[in-house]
Amino acid sequence: RLPRDARRAPGPLVHAANHKPLTRRRRSAGRLLEVSSDMQAIVIDRFGDPSEFRQTEVPRPQKKDDEVLVEVHAAAVNRSDVLNVRGSFPFTTLPRIPGRDFAGVVVEGPGDLLGTEVWGTGGGDLGFVRDGSHARYLAVPKKAVAPKSSAVSLEEAAASGLAYVTAASAFT
């Protein structure tokens, strides 16, 4: 269960009747946290119109040694996400969680990043052959996240990924 003050992604949530997520407890910086083994995500199991997709419960990803686990607080929906859901990219593997741009908090990973607000944008695989950001949690390589500036909100950071990459590519 999320804390009362946690931000939830907009849109309908689909819950199975009488379902209680499995949780485990862990200590972090002197606090006891509950981490659910399930999470809400949008999953593409067939291509189609984006309006047909709804959130569903899936297992929370397990990070690998070189990765961080980010609790996603905001995720952008870009043109490539819509095209991906429609089946426009033949290299997309199913089932898949779409989404490329995100912002959130590192909940597992190196001690220097734990609790840090970060943002990132997908490389060539996020949301296509690797589960993406349209979920409560996202496992990505440590090098795929950057600390978020205190000058922008999590929502603004998530929305800036594609624009940042596009602008940066114009200078190279």
Side-chain angles (χ1 to χ4, degrees):
R1 243 176 215 220
L2 295 172
R4 280 187 180 153
D5 59 345
R7 295 182 186 173
R8 293 189 181 270
L13 296 179
V14 178
H15 292 283
N18 300 320
H19 177 78
K20 286 188 169 185
L22 300 172
T23 58
R24 66 184 174 87
R25 294 182 181 270
R26 68 179 168 90
R27 283 208 181 270
S28 176
R31 294 186 333 172
L32 187 63
L33 303 174
E34 281 193 9
V35 178
S36 173
S37 62
D38 291 338
M39 67 174 184
Q40 293 290 312
I42 294 178
V43 178
I44 308 171
D45 47 16
R46 61 178 172 67
F47 296 115
D49 190 88
S51 66
E52 297 174 14
F53 292 93
R54 297 288 180 260
Q55 292 183 3
T56 189
E57 284 206 15
V58 297
R60 185 175 61 90
Q62 300 297 313
K63 74 168 200 64
K64 296 177 182 159
D65 288 340
D66 62 337
E67 294 180 334
V68 294
L69 185 68
V70 176
E71 181 179 15
V72 177
H73 288 252
V77 177
N78 295 311
R79 179 170 167 74
S80 64
D81 299 318
V82 173
L83 293 173
N84 192 23
V85 169
R86 287 184 175 158
S88 299
F89 301 108
F91 51 87
T92 298
T93 56
L94 300 180
R96 183 66 46 223
I97 297 171
R100 300 169 55 76
D101 298 346
F102 63 93
V105 176
V106 174
V107 294
E108 289 183 15
D112 61 325
L113 284 178
L114 276 180
T116 302
E117 291 185 335
V118 296
W119 70 285
T121 187
D125 63 349
L126 194 63
F128 297 105
V129 296
R130 175 188 188 100
D131 282 337
S133 62
H134 295 167
R136 173 54 65 197
Y137 294 96
L138 171 66
V140 291
K142 178 184 171 184
K143 64 182 181 179
V145 299
K148 181 193 73 66
S149 168
S150 61
V152 297
S153 69
L154 287 164
E155 292 84 1
E156 291 167 331
S160 66
L162 182 60
Y164 175 83
V165 170
T166 302
S169 69
F171 294 110
T172 58

